[in-house]
Amino acid sequence: MIEVSGLTKRYGNRTAIEDLSFTIEKGHIYGFLGPNGAGKSTTMNIMTGCLAATEGEVKIGGYDIFEQAEKAKRLIGYLPEQPPVYQDMTPDEYLLFVARAKGLSRAGAAAELARVKSLAGIEDVSKRLIKNLSKGYRQRVGIAQALLGGPEVIILDEPTVGLDPRQITETRALIKSLGREHTVILSSHILSEVQAVCDEIMIISKGRLAAVDTPDNLERLLAGSVTLELVVRAGSEEAFAAVSGIDGVESVRAEELGGGLVRLTVAAAEGRDPAEEVFFAFCDLRRPILKMNPVRASLEDVFIELTRDAQNGAAGADAEKEETGNDGDIQA
């Protein structure tokens, strides 16, 4: 559905994205993540034809976004982080204006407005001035305009930012429903949101693609190494000595909790699970283990690991903010 090849964007002597390539398949919901200055907003603006690239190409449904812009853009519905709404219009007036700009006939626009208003849940406020609507409803109006014309690709930049918990839940449900009929690209600074909504996740770091995979598979990237957390009734030195010599244990951290208890954090080598050996080590000492839990890698752990150096000297951070006016990338 979308092919991005060798995409590069430079602002003077700064590079926001460099040789970025990926493919987005039809009928999936993709989460697009990246730390500040990683090039996420620049990439999304280029994909939608709002910003020119220095090098590379983007094809939407086989159409080049630069050379065949009109045909490519007909396949895209885009919601920027700041909804592009006219404050002195009502949602009905604004959506009709957008529908006509997209080439819908007046007769066809009426049915299309009814459809997208129902999907976005704005029927009850469609005749009020947009400037008098809450941020949540303005966001919904922005989503409605992105849906006009039934584009095959829906690109949503931070669609839940500033919404209350109920609105966030409703918007997430809407996005999941859109994924049944559209290809959806969603950027968000909330990792749990991406994990709950998206089929695939793309992580960009320092202008390059760090990973593309399902949320579960990304978590398995770090799941090869096991960490155990224990609470043991023993002295810290005794507990440390009991496990530090076990084959496959790479590091041990001990913390006294008081009352004769110690918390141990035991990190194992990749592919090793020392839980059984740890259990029998304390059995031999006749020291009870009160709690032992494996600590699995979370999506947040994966994100931090893949973008570890991105906060220091991230390419193009200042340039991207200045050029696009958008500094809403993910904060780890």
Side-chain angles (χ1 to χ4, degrees):
M1 189 66 227
I2 299 178
E3 297 177 24
V4 175
S5 305
L7 203 61
T8 298
K9 178 63 179 179
R10 299 187 183 93
Y11 299 101
N13 62 352
R14 298 197 178 201
T15 302
I17 54 175
E18 184 175 7
D19 196 26
L20 193 63
S21 299
F22 56 85
T23 300
I24 291 178
E25 302 292 340
K26 186 175 182 178
H28 294 283
I29 302 177
Y30 286 81
F32 200 35
L33 303 178
N36 286 332
K40 175 179 67 72
S41 294
T42 294
T43 303
M44 297 186 78
N45 277 299
I46 293 174
M47 288 171 61
T48 55
C50 298
L51 185 65
T54 305
E55 298 173 12
E57 65 177 14
V58 177
K59 289 187 177 181
I60 311 291
Y63 298 114
D64 191 294
I65 194 68
F66 309 121
E67 303 296 330
Q68 300 165 290
E70 184 175 349
K71 291 181 178 179
K73 289 182 179 181
R74 286 184 182 276
L75 301 177
I76 301 172
Y78 181 38
L79 173 66
E81 184 178 355
Q82 299 297 327
V85 295
Y86 292 112
Q87 301 289 327
D88 291 324
M89 286 183 171
T90 66
D92 278 349
E93 293 168 340
Y94 170 68
L95 292 174
L96 178 60
F97 167 76
V98 174
R100 296 305 300 257
K102 288 188 174 184
L104 277 69
S105 67
R106 184 171 291 274
E112 186 65 0
L113 259 63
R115 183 184 74 88
V116 300
K117 286 193 298 182
S118 176
L119 281 173
I122 58 172
E123 300 102 321
D124 293 342
V125 299
S126 63
K127 299 189 183 305
R128 295 171 55 185
L129 290 178
I130 292 174
K131 67 181 179 183
N132 294 330
L133 299 180
S134 68
K135 180 176 178 59
Y137 274 112
R138 289 198 298 271
Q139 198 81 342
R140 291 184 184 209
V141 173
I143 293 175
Q145 67 80 27
L147 298 176
L148 280 169
E152 294 185 37
V153 179
I154 307 294
I155 299 178
L156 307 173
D157 193 356
E158 305 282 359
T160 62
V161 66
L163 304 186
D164 64 38
R166 177 181 176 182
Q167 293 168 335
I168 289 174
T169 300
E170 292 172 348
T171 301
R172 288 179 184 175
L174 171 59
I175 292 169
K176 293 196 75 169
S177 70
L178 292 175
R180 292 195 288 267
E181 298 182 5
H182 305 269
T183 299
V184 180
I185 302 172
L186 160 72
S187 72
S188 175
H189 68 283
I190 305 172
L191 289 170
S192 60
E193 176 171 88
V194 173
Q195 191 168 21
V197 173
C198 298
D199 306 313
E200 302 272 342
I201 295 176
M202 298 184 293
I203 298 178
I204 185 172
S205 177
K206 294 190 287 188
R208 293 180 177 273
L209 196 65
V212 181
D213 214 325
T214 65
D216 288 344
N217 285 343
L218 284 173
E219 289 182 346
R220 291 190 189 105
L221 286 175
L222 296 182
S225 56
V226 174
T227 299
L228 298 174
E229 285 191 353
L230 304 89
V231 175
V232 183
R233 189 176 300 281
S236 59
E237 292 184 4
E238 181 184 30
F240 182 90
V243 297
S244 59
I246 293 175
D247 188 31
V249 170
E250 289 195 333
S251 66
V252 181
R253 187 173 72 251
E255 175 189 359
E256 292 191 3
L257 301 178
L261 301 179
V262 62
R263 177 187 291 120
L264 294 178
T265 303
V266 181
E270 185 173 350
R272 298 298 301 271
D273 185 350
E276 187 173 313
E277 290 91 335
V278 169
F279 173 81
F280 283 115
F282 285 104
C283 283
D284 291 342
L285 293 175
R286 299 186 62 81
R287 297 298 188 188
I289 298 174
L290 304 184
K291 182 172 70 172
M292 182 166 65
N293 294 321
V295 180
R296 302 298 180 186
S298 67
L299 182 59
E300 182 176 357
D301 296 325
V302 176
F303 179 85
I304 292 172
E305 180 68 22
L306 292 175
T307 62
R308 183 176 298 278
D309 300 323
Q311 295 297 336
N312 298 319
D318 295 335
E320 180 179 7
K321 182 176 178 180
E322 179 179 344
E323 183 75 16
T324 65
N326 186 341
D327 61 348
D329 289 349
I330 187 169
Q331 307 235 5

